[in-house]
Amino acid sequence: MPVSAVTIYICPRRSSMATLQATLLAVGILLYAGLPGAAHAESAPQRVVALGGVVTEIVYALGQEDRLVARDATSTWPEEAEDLPDVGYVRALSPEGVLSVDPDLILAIEGSGPPETMDVLEAADIPLITVPEGHDAAAIRARIETVATALGVAEA
């Protein structure tokens, strides 16, 4: 019988990072179990840049790491992410660095910048999705849903 929902209990003593990692692990396990929606649509972006360590971690947890073409300097986990081209520090990006990898989707954590770079990226003919910040359970869920929807794996 397929699992349709998962309840994640958050221990108040755990750090926000530990809570996020536990959530991402649960999502990864569900994907590995072959739940419906694990496959991505053919029209979904195939050349993705992840800006923000948490964004990169979510992409990996969703099993979509093969679509990443670059990441920012804060994306150091999982270790395999460090093999990707580094486009710079998430709060001090240059548009040339991001655009040089020819992405068809940019996933950027809220607060990425500087604002002038984000203006140039928004003006480029490439979808730019801002992933919301926050550290409570609702914010973590919103981040995962934002990334999953952008990648065309919303059911995941």
Side-chain angles (χ1 to χ4, degrees):
M1 180 161 118
V3 178
S4 60
V6 173
T7 302
I8 298 173
Y9 296 95
I10 299 173
C11 176
R13 289 188 221 159
R14 284 188 150 185
S15 70
S16 296
M17 183 55 80
T19 301
L20 173 62
Q21 289 174 341
T23 303
L24 294 174
L25 178 61
V27 170
I29 290 169
L30 292 174
L31 284 173
Y32 185 76
L35 289 177
H40 54 274
E42 286 186 29
S43 64
Q46 297 302 309
R47 298 187 53 79
V48 179
V49 172
L51 303 176
V54 68
V55 175
T56 303
E57 291 176 25
I58 293 169
V59 173
Y60 272 84
L62 291 170
Q64 303 300 306
E65 64 274 7
D66 59 316
R67 296 159 71 182
L68 288 173
V69 294
R71 48 96 186 172
D72 77 298
T74 68
S75 298
T76 59
W77 191 89
E79 289 180 18
E80 297 82 20
E82 293 191 70
D83 294 337
L84 294 166
D86 182 343
V87 296
Y89 178 66
V90 71
R91 308 240 189 266
L93 298 164
S94 75
E96 296 85 2
V98 175
L99 296 174
S100 71
V101 294
D102 194 30
D104 59 8
L105 174 65
I106 302 167
L107 296 170
I109 194 69
E110 187 176 34
S112 295
E116 300 80 12
T117 293
M118 300 313 290
D119 291 343
V120 171
L121 295 177
E122 287 174 5
D125 193 24
I126 301 165
L128 174 78
I129 305 296
T130 300
V131 179
E133 277 279 13
H135 302 287
D136 62 8
I140 292 168
R141 181 181 179 103
R143 283 197 297 247
I144 295 167
E145 288 176 343
T146 299
V147 173
T149 300
L151 294 173
V153 294
E155 300 82 22

